[in-house]
Amino acid sequence: MTALVDAPRRPTVWDTAEIADDFVMWDDTVGWLLGYPSVFEQLRLPEPEVRVLLDLGCGPGKVARRAAEDHDLRVHAVDLSPAMLAIAAARYGHPRVSRHQAGGSDLSFLDDASVDAAMCNFVFVCVPHRDQARAIAAEVHRVLRPGGRFAILNAHPLHTGVTFDSFRIGRPGATYRAGEPMPVRLRQTDGTWVDIVDTYWPAESYHAMLRESGFARTWQTVPLPADAQRWHASDVTAERRWTTERTTPPFLVVIGEK
Ligand SMILES: C[S@@+](CC[C@H](N)C(=O)[O-])C[C@H]1O[C@@H](n2cnc3c(N)ncnc32)[C@H](O)[C@@H]1O
């Protein structure tokens, strides 16, 4: 993908080989520092009653694999992109992870109340229409068991225009309305930046989608470097590169409980 000075205002199409090859190169270190561990904690993955996890919009499958490696559970890794699933199969497989090609609003291979926990990491920003997003939340609600939790991780929508270590959502000084296309920059592991276009959803949109889909309770959490000390053996936040992340939380996790 070429870096664009002025990104087109049309959301990125995710089911191509090109975007899959680009996304797997994203430097996701800050995601592993703060975002994904917060999701695992909110979903209570270490607890014995969480045996089946749905990773909807699994992309290259790194997070599904880590969940299976670190916890005693089975993972349904679902994505609409064959190219993402091919990377997941070739590079990030695990015996307890099964892969499925499906759009999030039709998980018909899963029975009602058959999963204990579900996550969508950086997925709703790829969904440009509210009805589509609500249909995904409703389908996750169907397959979750009563009391099960659904965690939605995204870049924090209040912090548009802020350049974090490996991404920036929105342009400095710009404001975005719910459902509006928003330029996003991702830093690759080789140091280059690529441009994509996401859809902007404020925190209230996620809470509303979850409530309208039947979730009994919703709340949100904002993982901070102080939390990371709970999740990582060494003080990984001591690195000088996390300057912005120390003062401005990069991620928002919105959770719904059935
Ligand atoms: C930004 S990537 C995130 C991948 C992964 N969750 C991670 O954190 O590494 C978003 C993924 O969501 C998938 N996706 C977008 N809309 C989807 C939908 N409606 N149903 C299933 N997958 C979807 C895309 O194909 C893409 O692989």
Side-chain angles (χ1 to χ4, degrees), residues 14 23 36 57-59 63 79-81 84 102-104 121-123 126 136:
W14 279 88
F23 186 74
Y36 302 126
C58 64
V63 189
D79 206 285
L80 55 72
S81 162
M84 288 287 193
N121 300 315
F122 309 112
V123 177
C126 307
I136 292 170

Side-chain angles (χ1 to χ4, degrees), residues 25-42:
M25 289 278 293
W26 175 45
D27 182 347
D28 56 3
T29 317
V30 71
W32 287 110
L33 181 77
L34 294 174
Y36 302 126
S38 176
V39 168
F40 288 8
E41 181 176 78
Q42 289 296 324

Side-chain angles (χ1 to χ4, degrees), residues 103-118:
S105 54
D106 180 7
L107 303 174
S108 45
F109 57 92
L110 291 174
D111 289 338
D112 293 0
S114 61
V115 311
D116 301 306

Side-chain angles (χ1 to χ4, degrees), residues 78-247:
V78 180
D79 206 285
L80 55 72
S81 162
M84 288 287 193
L85 291 168
I87 294 173
R91 298 195 224 165
Y92 300 102
H94 186 281
R96 287 199 310 278
V97 176
S98 58
R99 288 169 299 278
H100 313 263
Q101 191 198 340
S105 54
D106 180 7
L107 303 174
S108 45
F109 57 92
L110 291 174
D111 289 338
D112 293 0
S114 61
V115 311
D116 301 306
M119 58 187 181
C120 266
N121 300 315
F122 309 112
V123 177
F124 278 85
V125 290
C126 307
V127 178
H129 302 295
R130 196 185 296 265
D131 287 353
Q132 247 177 313
R134 209 184 286 124
I136 292 170
E139 186 64 345
V140 171
H141 184 268
R142 180 186 70 76
V143 303
L144 260 185
R145 65 152 162 84
R149 292 183 177 181
F150 177 29
I152 299 174
L153 166 68
N154 284 295
H156 200 307
L158 283 182
H159 302 146
T160 54
V162 177
T163 301
F164 293 102
D165 181 60
S166 60
F167 69 88
R168 188 187 80 190
I169 65 163
R171 290 190 202 294
T175 56
Y176 301 90
R177 294 186 305 274
E180 197 177 340
M182 171 181 67
V184 169
R185 313 202 76 203
L186 301 177
R187 188 171 59 72
Q188 312 280 70
T189 48
D190 66 3
T192 60
W193 289 77
V194 298
D195 295 274
I196 60 172
V197 178
D198 276 353
T199 298
Y200 180 81
W201 299 112
E204 309 83 70
S205 295
Y206 295 116
H207 288 277
M209 289 168 197
L210 290 170
R211 292 226 179 241
E212 289 161 11
S213 306
F215 284 86
R217 184 165 88 89
T218 71
W219 66 97
Q220 66 184 48
T221 185
V222 174
L224 300 168
D227 298 310
Q229 288 162 21
R230 219 170 41 248
W231 301 320
H232 304 284
S234 59
D235 184 9
V236 279
T237 60
E239 274 190 50
R240 284 177 57 196
R241 66 196 283 210
W242 309 120
T243 323
T244 310
E245 284 76 3
R246 248 179 264 283
T247 54

